[in-house]
Amino acid sequence: MKLYCLSGHPTLPCNVLKFKSTTIMLDCGLDMTSTLNFLPLPLVQSPRLSNLPGWSLKDGNAFLDKELKECSGHVFVDSVPEFCLPETELIDLSTVDVILISNYHCMMALPYITEHTGFTGTVYATEPTVQIGRLLMEELVNFIERVPKAQSASLWKNKDIQRLLPSPLKDAVEVSTWRRCYTMQEVNSALSKIQLVGYSQKIELFGAVQVTPLSSGYALGSSNWIIQSHYEKVSYVSGSSLLTTHPQPMDQASLKNSDVLILTGLTQIPTANPDGMVGEFCSNLALTVRNGGNVLVPCYPSGVIYDLLECLYQYIDSAGLSNIPFYFISPVANSSLEFSQIFAEWLCHNKQTKVYLPEPPFPHAELIQTNKLKHYPSLHGDFSSDFRQPCVVFTGHPSLRFGDVVHFMELWGKSSLNTVIFTEPDFSYLEALAPYQPLAMKCIYCPIDTRLNFIQVSKLLKEVQPLHVVCPEQYTQPPPAQSHRMDLMIDCQPPPMSYRRAEVLALPFKRRYEKIEIMPELADALVPMEIKPGISLATVSAVLHTKDNKHVLQPPPRPAQPSGGKKRKRASEDIPDCKVLKPLLSGSIPVEQFVQTLEKHGFSDIKVEDTAKGHIVLLQEAETLIQIEEDSTHIICDNDEMLRVRLRDLVLKFLQKF
Amino acid sequence: MDPECSQLLPALCAVLADPRQPMADDTCLEKLLDWFKTITEAGSSLLLLQENPCLVELLCHVLKPQDLSSRVLSFSLRLTGVFAAQEDCFQYLQGDSSLFVASAAGQLLVHILSLSMRGPAEGPPGLQADDWPACAQKIVGHIEESLRSTAAPQITQALNVLTTTFGHCHDPWTQVLWVQLHPLVAALLEKDPVPAAHSLVDLLLSVARSPGLSSSSCGLWETLAQTLSHLSPTQAGLLALGILKLQDCPQALRAQAFAVLLQPLACVLKATAQGPGPSGLLDSTSADSVTADILLPSKAACVGLLCRTLAHLELLLPLPQRPCPWPQAPLLGAAVTLLQLCGGSGSPASDEGRQLCTLLLGCVRVQRAALDFLGTLSQETGPPELVTQVFAVLLEYLRSPDSSPTVLKKAFQATFRWLLSSPRTPGCSDLDSHALLFLRELLPVLQKRLCSPCWEVRDSGLEFLTQMTRRWGGQAGFRHALLASEVPRLTEQLLRDPESYVRASAVTAMGQLSSQGLCVPPASPEHPGGQQKSLLGELLHILSTDSEGFPRRAVMQVFTQWLRDSHADVVGDTEQFVAGVLQVAGQDLDWEVRAQGLELALVFLEQTLGPPRSHCPYAVTPPVAAPASPLTQALQPLCRVRLFEFAFRALFDCDRPVAQKSCDLLLLLRAKMASSSSLQEPRSSPDVASVEAALQRWRAGDQAQPLGDLEPEVVLAVLRSMDLEGLRGALAESSDHVEKSPQSLLQDMLATVGILGENEADCY
């Protein structure tokens, strides 16, 4: 069993598991932090961005000044943003049989894999995962395609040139493999390869293994996966949460008794408690608005935003913010808000029961009804006529490199009354803000990451007791900035096996058993003999038939009548020789009774010696040794075949034959 | 004893003497006993027994062997003890399951011992234990036997009896007793673990505090030292604290006790020390491995020990006999370190430190205890770099999104105490430059906290603001920083908070800010350019419309303070202000609001008529001088604001405190009248008669009819004719004096027995 690790990002995993005869890709995350190296794509022409000076080498050589621009001491690539794909060289991706998706954030690289690697398999995911994943992809494509950029920079990627660049460009990994965003056509084609599954549904893969998605509690439709054969069980834990937010709670019990547990997608901010952060978010929002400022919340169109809107729903009246408009701007805003209300079966119990009242499960419906929350596909159109300040705007993209957020950063960045509040944990907020410096706007970092923290992981592992844990190397040591925090790492016995990008792990367990079926007529022919109470044995002669990873014992063909002719036997006609079967023996020899029997049969002068493995019975007169061990008995006598046979028959009296 | 009780008593005695009628509740027996005690204290007990022969019958009956419940037996014995000391042995009572019985038995043993040792008229028994009365010897023998026992409950009982003995009796024989029992007590220390450690600590401290014992001669100090070293750190803390509180105690023992007390903190400092250098506490105590063993393996033990240690040290700090030199710097360091560990900002280098960090991370109990302790430490100063660290860690806690509301509250309190203690320029009460710098960082945090979704946080933020404003509101540095922030405006907005506690705190804070001239005219987005309501108007609005009591009470307090301080908004038209407030307060459903209204009325009265003659000869005479005009004229403003109607109404208030307060106010006014030179003859007029008639109806509960405009003469006449003293006497009786009467107790007990009897009958 092997694990091919194609992504180094612990929360955007992409691993391939070879298990029995199957090749299973676990998640297909896309590392978008690469876009932080690029200049933002403004929705309308930005004089500030277009007038940034070109970057030149220390010696004044300015041959890169078209591709690289400088802003407040940082250098950015002036080009269409590009993404860092999972490894494509480590394993032939056309051999991947299936892709299992755990949540909508972990499928963003799917079009790159399904459309460009010769992939012919099936993708499995839950319905909300697919629907919301589609929204995220649609938004991404829309953000990038609606502001076409003529320039595509590639010179800087040259290895010799990259060495000369300042950090972080200099240290960016595998820039040659970075790719532009996919198209909507590729998205549609990729999504058409997905087969929908429900929690706890058992899916047979080629008869060899069975895969099952389990609720992981992190997002709508998010799952962990069980991959099992008859005798082996691998659990794949991706983004999971034990907090009571909107999704169905995490199914922990089904993860028990795993041979291997692959653990990814823990919280990216282990020191921040989501509750405290939500409080911080609300306080800062109210403080800004009360002072007459605007609040900008860069966010994804689905996920934490549902919880934030719910908190604000409870908070705005008490904070005297009822008159402040909340705007949600995204090409998929409407679909996201509506989808969230129809996936009732994927929601937590509280929200599910609301559906039967009937009430919308999320209170944002009421916010929309009362006109407190308004949503728009983009800031063009209706929004510009409705727009009132001060206000709160939720919009993407959290990287601040594309999407409507770029416009609001340019618009509000100059006033210290305004605040940008970062809630998504995927991007470093300082790096995200770098191309907007100098910035007068207040910046608040309230990352809300509901995924498991290390305390929860340690409880989980104690509970489900896997034999082995495999995780990204980042989880096996405290974060570099907090090296003393021994609590911020996975602590289990045996210590976890760690992996890093482009590594192949041999998973530390051997398969020992295979299930075999037996045909009814063959089973009928068996004559079991009880050798111990409750244990019966029978011998069987059969042909082992193996097809589609299923093994069946069939009755042997009848022995062919010896033919008179001298025809050559064909190899396939070789039948096992059943005639010379010797009976099998079982049982043990009680030494005292055996000695008594010997005495009855006239042997005298018998001595018994205890050995490490059993006994030696010494017939001194006959100069004979009988060595009795657990699984063998030897009679050693000096060429006296008669004596040996007599003794053998006495031994056999104590044993059962069949 | 009144005749009603005398009539009930025989029936009750019969019930008590009847084993088939069990008393379900021994608290009523306790109450009964209390009652008998008050009777015997008041009069002759002999007479009581003669008048109530049923009591003697009960006591005689109890002496016969029978199935009486131990509760009744205990009661009877104690009753006997109340009437006359009776000597007998009641040791077997000690183990009784009833707490009252066990404790009474213990106390009885002590009393018997003490009585028997006081001896007959010919003088106390000799100091040789062999000469002691048989009874005393038997008791001591019983105690000795119990101390030798292996059963912890028995040892505990023996120790408790001894603790009571040394706590109550200080005669020379107690020293003999201690010398005799001392080896047995010391022997308990040989056992591992030490049995009944808590009771042992109590005993040793009781002995040490007893003036009857000369501690040095009895080996007490040695035993204490031995006990300190034998008990586990979790048990030894209380003993160490007790030793340090003792007035005369050898220096070495004090040092040892202090070391025991400091050990856990020394351990923390050692585990987190950045470098190898000694860190103060370690000089005097070795952070021994026992403490480390207790601290590290379990979170519960670690947290418990640290919290107890911090609480003990906090108790010790303000005492005059606290150890000297006081290790202020290392203790400050330890408190800061603990807070850093709990908050996740500590960065220990050692394995122990990291382990400690994992145990304490986010631990609210330790955070609260350490913040309290840190606040107490502000009484002393510390090295500047440590004080900087103190402010840094406080700011960290105030900032942290993970601080729980209770932790935040403590952090605010500790911050205020440290700001109070921060060094000031002589002759100037403003904050020093460091504190002002800190304040500039603090105010944005306070701003954010005032917007917290958690009401407890908003509330403690407002309380903190009120405290700070009260203290530094007049100082330029503070004023400047505060006015440059959004805090005053946010506070104003919190007057409309959905949570009533927050509104109440906002009212108090705004009242304080306004008194200091720190209210900025609100420029809320809701009323752009519109006519702004004055704060006075806003507070009056809250007083008349708020659905919860707390904000209205707060408004009344602010108004009273404003009137007292001659606040600018009030001085403009004081009479209109008082009239308006009294009118609203008089109709309030909350009695505290009405009571506070009387307080305000009193302030107004004093300002109008001059203060009452002060009891204190050095009292400062307030600026408002007593009017020289005739009293009737002086009363005019009071009549105009309808103060009397308010006070008379309050006099018949259904809530006693309001009526009492009003009574006091009117009595004060009458005293003024008496002292006034312009005494006029009471005038009987139709006005007076109609007012008196109206008051009669009010008293009867019909308060619908108003009194209308009252003339000062009428008021004076009515006041003279009222029996205010009688009313005050009636109000002073507690409202439940009927329910608490002994007659009621006896009836209740009989009634309960009756019910029990009925139930019994039902069963068969």
Side-chain angles (χ1 to χ4, degrees):
Chain A
M1 189 184 295
K2 282 192 169 161
L3 189 72
Y4 297 75
C5 310
L6 310 186
S7 158
H9 198 303
T11 36
L12 296 168
C14 184
N15 296 312
V16 173
L17 177 72
K18 285 207 169 202
F19 179 34
K20 292 185 78 174
S21 52
T22 57
T23 304
I24 303 171
M25 179 179 276
L26 304 170
D27 277 332
C28 204
L30 181 64
D31 186 352
M32 293 198 245
T33 51
S34 55
T35 59
L36 293 173
N37 296 295
F38 292 79
L39 271 188
L41 294 179
L43 217 57
V44 288
Q45 177 71 20
S46 158
R48 186 186 70 87
L49 287 174
S50 43
N51 291 334
L52 287 176
W55 182 79
S56 49
L57 289 170
K58 274 183 197 146
D59 58 10
N61 192 333
F63 72 102
L64 280 168
D65 68 347
K66 288 276 181 300
E67 291 200 351
L68 302 181
K69 303 284 178 192
E70 197 168 347
C71 176
S72 298
H74 287 83
V75 178
F76 298 94
V77 181
D78 187 10
S79 170
V80 188
E82 293 177 340
F83 305 117
C84 177
L85 272 49
E87 285 289 328
T88 49
E89 306 295 319
L90 195 64
I91 182 172
D92 179 2
L93 292 176
S94 69
T95 64
V96 171
D97 298 310
V98 292
I99 303 180
L100 307 180
I101 303 292
S102 23
N103 61 67
Y104 45 76
H105 286 297
C106 292
M107 62 183 280
M108 296 299 280
L110 201 58
Y112 294 114
I113 305 295
T114 59
E115 307 309 302
H116 298 284
T117 62
F119 173 79
T120 55
T122 312
V123 184
Y124 291 100
T126 63
E127 188 179 3
T129 302
V130 178
Q131 296 299 352
I132 297 172
R134 176 195 295 276
L135 296 183
L136 292 183
M137 291 179 177
E138 237 180 86
E139 188 193 58
L140 188 66
V141 172
N142 187 303
F143 280 162
I144 290 178
E145 285 185 353
R146 73 182 173 185
V147 278
K149 191 154 183 131
Q151 171 154 311
S152 177
S154 56
L155 204 54
W156 70 277
K157 289 186 182 178
N158 183 312
K159 274 203 173 122
D160 294 329
I161 296 175
Q162 197 195 352
R163 276 191 298 116
L164 307 172
L165 304 182
S167 283
L169 278 178
K170 183 173 68 177
D171 310 315
V173 288
E174 313 212 27
V175 291
S176 57
T177 64
W178 290 11
R179 290 288 173 270
R180 292 171 143 217
C181 189
Y182 33 72
T183 64
M184 213 47 223
Q185 198 186 353
E186 288 168 319
V187 170
N188 287 331
S189 171
L191 295 182
S192 71
K193 299 182 170 74
I194 299 184
Q195 195 162 322
L196 299 183
V197 291
Y199 288 149
S200 305
Q201 183 183 335
K202 294 183 167 62
I203 303 137
E204 287 283 336
L205 300 185
F206 319 113
V209 295
Q210 197 181 56
V211 296
T212 312
L214 305 172
S215 173
S216 78
Y218 166 58
L220 272 178
S222 68
S223 1
N224 293 322
W225 291 86
I226 303 283
I227 302 138
Q228 59 189 338
S229 64
H230 293 295
Y231 297 102
E232 297 91 13
K233 177 169 173 179
V234 178
S235 295
Y236 172 58
V237 173
S238 185
S240 302
S241 176
L242 293 171
L243 301 182
T244 327
T245 56
H246 58 271
Q248 235 187 67
M250 177 179 180
D251 177 356
Q252 296 183 65
S254 306
L255 299 172
K256 282 186 183 168
N257 304 319
S258 306
D259 297 291
V260 172
L261 186 138
I262 303 169
L263 184 59
T264 67
L266 305 187
T267 175
Q268 302 191 68
I269 322 286
T271 51
N273 159 22
D275 281 341
M277 285 300 156
V278 169
E280 197 79 352
F281 172 80
C282 290
S283 305
N284 283 298
L285 184 143
L287 188 61
T288 306
V289 173
R290 283 183 184 173
N291 288 336
N294 301 295
V295 176
L296 178 62
V297 187
C299 61
Y300 293 115
S302 178
V304 173
I305 185 171
Y306 303 142
D307 297 321
L308 286 180
L309 287 175
E310 184 153 0
C311 287
L312 288 172
Y313 169 79
Q314 290 159 0
Y315 176 63
I316 50 177
D317 286 332
S318 73
L321 303 178
S322 318
N323 299 321
I324 303 298
F326 287 75
Y327 301 119
F328 176 21
I329 304 173
S330 160
V332 298
N334 188 30
S335 318
S336 163
L337 291 173
E338 287 185 355
F339 271 141
S340 64
Q341 306 283 21
I342 61 166
F343 289 127
E345 59 171 302
W346 305 91
L347 293 172
C348 63
H349 180 73
N350 268 352
K351 296 215 177 305
Q352 276 193 24
T353 49
K354 283 195 167 186
V355 182
Y356 299 105
L357 290 179
E359 264 177 33
F362 285 95
H364 56 237
E366 197 185 318
L367 288 176
I368 296 170
Q369 253 176 16
T370 53
N371 260 335
K372 286 176 184 164
L373 172 67
K374 297 182 178 185
H375 54 86
Y376 305 89
S378 94
L379 49 82
H380 297 300
D382 289 346
F383 175 72
S384 39
S385 49
D386 293 353
F387 181 48
R388 272 195 299 126
Q389 301 190 77
C391 64
V392 180
V393 169
F394 294 87
T395 190
H397 187 271
S399 65
L400 304 192
R401 292 303 179 270
F402 35 82
D404 301 274
V405 75
V406 176
H407 181 76
F408 286 100
M409 285 304 297
E410 295 283 330
L411 184 71
W412 289 343
K414 296 172 207 81
S415 165
S416 62
L417 279 181
N418 302 325
T419 306
V420 53
I421 309 183
F422 292 87
T423 57
E424 301 288 356
D426 286 355
F427 300 93
S428 143
Y429 79 107
L430 288 175
E431 285 182 51
L433 288 170
Y436 297 94
Q437 299 297 350
L439 197 67
M441 185 178 202
K442 281 197 283 287
C443 303
I444 305 288
Y445 185 53
C446 301
I448 298 171
D449 196 331
T450 58
R451 284 171 282 206
L452 297 178
N453 63 32
F454 289 97
I455 298 170
Q456 292 164 336
V457 164
S458 125
K459 278 191 189 146
L460 176 75
L461 292 180
K462 273 193 194 122
E463 176 93 15
V464 306
Q465 303 245 334
L467 288 183
H468 301 282
V469 174
V470 178
C471 66
E473 61 174 347
Q474 289 93 330
Y475 297 161
T476 58
Q477 59 223 15
Q482 288 155 306
S483 55
H484 67 285
R485 291 287 296 267
M486 303 304 282
D487 55 317
L488 301 184
M489 56 184 272
I490 292 178
D491 178 24
C492 65
Q493 280 309 322
M497 285 188 77
S498 69
Y499 66 79
R500 60 173 74 177
R501 190 181 164 105
E503 205 167 56
V504 182
L505 289 190
L507 295 185
F509 89 102
K510 280 211 171 93
R511 295 181 41 228
R512 295 173 59 189
Y513 298 106
E514 192 65 85
K515 187 172 178 172
I516 297 176
E517 283 178 13
I518 185 162
M519 295 288 283
E521 55 265 44
L522 186 61
D524 272 350
L526 296 183
V527 187
M529 247 178 69
E530 191 166 46
I531 54 153
K532 269 186 200 170
I535 297 180
S536 298
L537 289 182
T539 54
V540 60
S541 302
V543 172
L544 181 66
H545 183 265
T546 294
K547 187 185 173 188
D548 285 348
N549 295 303
K550 286 216 163 33
H551 313 287
V552 182
L553 283 180
Q554 295 177 343
R558 290 171 191 287
Q561 293 301 319
S563 56
K566 289 188 174 176
K567 278 183 189 168
R568 262 198 185 170
K569 276 185 184 173
R570 275 162 55 190
S572 62
E573 284 173 355
D574 268 336
I575 330 159
D577 186 2
C578 309
K579 286 175 196 163
V580 288
L581 274 180
K582 282 187 182 172
L584 299 171
L585 299 174
S586 71
S588 59
I589 302 163
V591 178
E592 273 181 34
Q593 288 178 32
F594 180 59
V595 171
Q596 283 169 12
T597 311
L598 288 176
E599 281 169 347
K600 254 187 221 167
H601 286 81
F603 295 97
S604 55
D605 204 9
I606 303 168
K607 271 182 82 179
V608 178
E609 283 175 19
D610 289 348
T611 66
K613 289 178 178 174
H615 309 276
I616 292 175
V617 178
L618 213 64
L619 308 178
Q620 285 179 321
E621 207 173 286
E623 292 185 3
T624 297
L625 265 178
I626 306 171
Q627 199 177 340
I628 304 172
E629 291 180 356
E630 199 185 358
D631 50 0
S632 64
T633 303
H634 289 98
I635 300 169
I636 303 161
C637 55
D638 195 18
N639 272 335
D640 186 346
E641 181 62 10
M642 285 282 285
L643 177 62
R644 190 190 72 80
V645 172
R646 257 181 81 201
L647 287 173
R648 182 198 70 187
D649 290 344
L650 288 178
V651 167
L652 286 178
K653 276 189 178 171
F654 288 93
L655 297 175
Q656 290 169 302
K657 305 178 199 63
F658 60 93
Chain B
M1 188 184 296
D2 49 31
E4 291 90 346
C5 293
S6 277
Q7 277 176 8
L8 290 168
L9 208 53
L12 184 77
C13 287
V15 167
L16 291 176
D18 184 356
R20 288 167 306 161
Q21 300 208 17
M23 271 288 149
D25 176 14
D26 37 357
T27 46
C28 57
L29 291 175
E30 290 294 313
K31 284 183 192 163
L32 202 59
L33 210 56
D34 286 344
W35 176 52
F36 276 115
K37 264 184 215 159
T38 48
I39 295 179
T40 51
E41 277 161 17
S44 153
S45 38
L46 185 63
L47 198 64
L48 182 73
L49 289 175
Q50 281 167 351
E51 283 174 354
N52 298 287
C54 61
L55 286 172
V56 185
E57 280 167 29
L58 172 70
L59 298 179
C60 295
H61 184 76
V62 166
L63 293 177
K64 296 173 194 157
Q66 54 183 322
D67 291 344
L68 261 190
S69 87
S70 54
R71 290 166 181 185
V72 174
L73 185 60
S74 152
F75 163 77
S76 311
L77 294 175
R78 289 166 70 193
L79 186 62
T80 317
V82 168
F83 291 135
Q86 181 174 344
E87 296 172 21
D88 205 340
C89 288
F90 308 111
Q91 299 163 6
Y92 72 97
L93 284 172
Q94 274 190 295
D96 197 277
S97 59
S98 163
L99 199 63
F100 284 129
V101 177
S103 133
Q107 281 176 18
L108 205 55
L109 276 182
V110 174
H111 287 305
I112 294 165
L113 183 64
S114 147
L115 267 176
S116 68
M117 291 306 293
R118 205 172 290 161
E122 58 264 27
L127 283 179
Q128 289 299 315
D130 300 344
D131 302 343
W132 288 7
C135 167
Q137 289 196 24
K138 201 159 185 184
I139 293 175
V140 173
H142 173 67
I143 295 173
E144 283 179 332
E145 196 183 314
S146 300
L147 286 176
R148 284 195 199 99
S149 156
T150 48
Q154 253 180 296
I155 300 176
T156 308
Q157 280 158 11
L159 291 173
N160 288 348
V161 167
L162 286 176
T163 306
T164 317
T165 308
F166 291 110
H168 288 87
C169 318
H170 306 137
D171 298 327
W173 62 268
T174 52
Q175 180 149 351
V176 180
L177 180 67
W178 173 247
V179 171
Q180 186 179 339
L181 295 180
H182 169 236
L184 284 174
V185 173
L188 293 177
L189 294 173
E190 307 298 323
K191 302 187 183 174
D192 187 29
V194 178
H198 202 278
S199 298
L200 180 61
V201 167
D202 283 348
L203 170 63
L204 292 175
L205 289 175
S206 167
V207 172
R209 286 185 203 118
S210 166
L213 270 79
S214 104
S215 323
S216 48
S217 65
C218 307
L220 177 66
W221 302 138
E222 291 77 7
T223 311
L224 282 172
Q226 220 183 334
T227 314
L228 272 179
S229 53
H230 273 77
L231 290 182
S232 78
T234 41
Q235 297 164 329
L238 201 63
L239 181 61
L241 180 66
I243 290 173
L244 288 167
K245 280 182 175 172
L246 293 175
Q247 296 291 351
D248 49 349
C249 171
Q251 196 51 41
L253 183 61
R254 284 173 63 81
Q256 189 193 349
F258 198 39
V260 165
L261 211 51
L262 293 176
Q263 249 173 26
L265 296 186
C267 257
V268 169
L269 282 179
K270 187 184 170 197
T272 53
Q274 299 295 327
S279 63
L281 283 185
L282 298 176
D283 300 344
S284 55
T285 89
S286 58
D288 73 357
S289 61
V290 181
T291 313
D293 288 348
I294 296 271
L295 271 184
L296 289 175
S298 111
K299 178 165 177 161
C302 172
V303 168
L305 180 57
L306 286 174
C307 287
R308 268 195 298 276
T309 301
L310 291 169
H312 288 154
L313 286 169
E314 201 183 324
L315 286 174
L316 195 59
L317 178 62
L319 298 182
Q321 67 267 37
R322 69 167 196 214
C324 185
W326 178 255
Q328 172 79 359
L331 284 178
L332 261 187
V336 168
T337 306
L338 273 179
L339 286 170
Q340 285 171 339
L341 288 175
C342 294
S345 65
S347 47
S350 69
D351 280 350
E352 286 87 14
R354 280 190 282 265
Q355 219 174 327
L356 205 57
C357 184
T358 312
L359 288 181
L360 294 179
L361 205 68
C363 177
V364 173
R365 269 182 69 199
V366 175
Q367 288 178 341
R368 285 198 300 238
L371 282 167
D372 274 342
F373 180 55
L374 188 67
T376 312
L377 284 175
S378 69
Q379 293 171 9
E380 304 277 312
T381 181
E385 66 278 5
L386 259 177
V387 175
T388 311
Q389 277 189 40
V390 167
F391 279 108
V393 82
L394 285 171
L395 200 61
E396 177 194 324
Y397 268 70
L398 293 173
R399 266 193 194 137
S400 164
D402 292 334
S403 295
S404 81
T406 52
V407 168
L408 259 181
K409 192 180 173 81
K410 302 254 180 218
F412 273 129
Q413 285 166 350
T415 305
F416 180 66
R417 296 178 77 170
W418 273 96
L419 279 174
L420 269 183
S421 78
S422 73
R424 345 190 149 82
T425 326
C428 168
S429 57
D430 206 350
L431 290 161
D432 78 331
S433 57
H434 290 293
L436 279 174
L437 275 179
F438 173 74
L439 193 67
R440 235 158 263 153
E441 292 198 70
L442 178 68
L443 286 172
V445 179
L446 182 60
Q447 254 165 239
K448 195 179 72 189
R449 293 302 183 187
L450 292 181
C451 295
S452 165
C454 178
W455 70 264
E456 291 94 334
V457 173
R458 300 198 293 275
D459 195 48
S460 37
L462 286 169
E463 281 173 7
F464 176 66
L465 172 67
T466 308
Q467 278 183 316
M468 287 212 299
T469 312
R470 194 172 288 145
R471 179 68 185 75
W472 295 289
Q475 311 306 324
F478 176 83
R479 296 177 68 86
H480 190 257
L482 190 70
L483 286 173
S485 77
E486 295 293 332
V487 170
R489 227 153 48 74
L490 289 170
T491 309
E492 198 268 336
Q493 291 182 12
L494 291 177
L495 289 175
R496 295 172 288 281
D497 198 277
E499 180 61 46
S500 64
Y501 296 108
V502 179
R503 288 199 299 278
S505 298
V507 165
T508 312
M510 281 308 286
Q512 193 64 46
L513 287 173
S514 169
S515 293
Q516 309 271 15
L518 284 166
C519 274
V520 281
S524 77
E526 287 130 61
H527 321 278
Q531 191 65 41
Q532 292 303 329
K533 263 201 264 178
S534 69
L535 180 60
L536 178 62
E538 181 111 27
L539 294 188
L540 268 176
H541 181 72
I542 291 175
L543 183 63
S544 47
T545 60
D546 202 301
S547 59
E548 299 282 336
F550 300 105
R552 304 200 305 268
R553 290 179 203 169
V555 170
M556 286 307 294
Q557 272 158 5
V558 167
F559 282 165
T560 310
Q561 193 57 45
W562 279 8
L563 185 63
R564 212 172 260 145
D565 300 347
S566 308
H567 187 279
D569 287 1
V570 172
V571 166
D573 191 344
T574 311
E575 282 185 24
Q576 198 199 340
F577 168 75
V578 174
V581 174
L582 289 186
Q583 198 200 348
V584 181
Q587 293 160 358
D588 205 295
L589 293 175
D590 186 316
W591 70 265
E592 286 195 37
V593 173
R594 301 196 298 276
Q596 189 65 40
L598 286 161
E599 190 67 39
L600 183 125
L602 185 66
V603 173
F604 185 65
L605 190 141
E606 285 172 1
Q607 286 181 352
T608 315
L609 302 181
R613 262 174 297 171
S614 176
H615 303 295
C616 169
Y618 305 111
V620 180
T621 315
V624 185
S629 54
L631 189 61
T632 46
Q633 206 177 326
L635 288 181
Q636 284 291 357
L638 304 186
C639 289
R640 282 198 295 272
V641 302
R642 294 188 177 246
L643 185 141
F644 293 107
E645 174 151 2
F646 178 77
F648 283 139
R649 224 178 255 281
L651 198 57
F652 307 121
D653 200 291
C654 53
D655 286 295
R656 215 155 47 92
V658 179
Q660 270 177 323
K661 223 175 167 102
S662 171
C663 200
D664 290 345
L665 181 127
L666 293 173
L667 278 166
L668 179 84
L669 190 67
R670 210 160 66 179
K672 277 258 178 254
M673 282 159 52
S675 68
S676 165
S677 53
S678 61
L679 255 180
Q680 289 180 352
E681 277 306 299
R683 207 177 56 171
S684 187
S685 74
D687 279 355
V688 177
S690 78
V691 169
E692 281 175 342
L695 290 182
Q696 280 303 325
R697 280 196 298 279
W698 282 14
R699 184 172 214 163
D702 172 21
Q703 298 211 350
Q705 190 198 351
L707 290 183
D709 291 328
L710 293 177
E711 291 300 319
E713 291 80 5
V714 176
V715 170
L716 288 174
V718 170
L719 274 181
R720 275 193 201 98
S721 69
M722 284 180 104
D723 178 19
L724 289 172
E725 284 84 1
L727 192 60
R728 181 157 71 174
L731 289 169
E733 288 269 7
S734 83
S735 59
D736 59 349
H737 66 273
V738 178
E739 286 76 13
K740 271 193 182 165
S741 70
Q743 189 187 343
S744 164
L745 174 66
L746 295 177
Q747 282 168 341
D748 282 355
M749 289 176 72
L750 282 171
T752 331
V753 172
I755 291 166
L756 282 174
E758 276 166 29
N759 288 347
E760 209 170 41
D762 284 343
C763 290
Y764 293 99

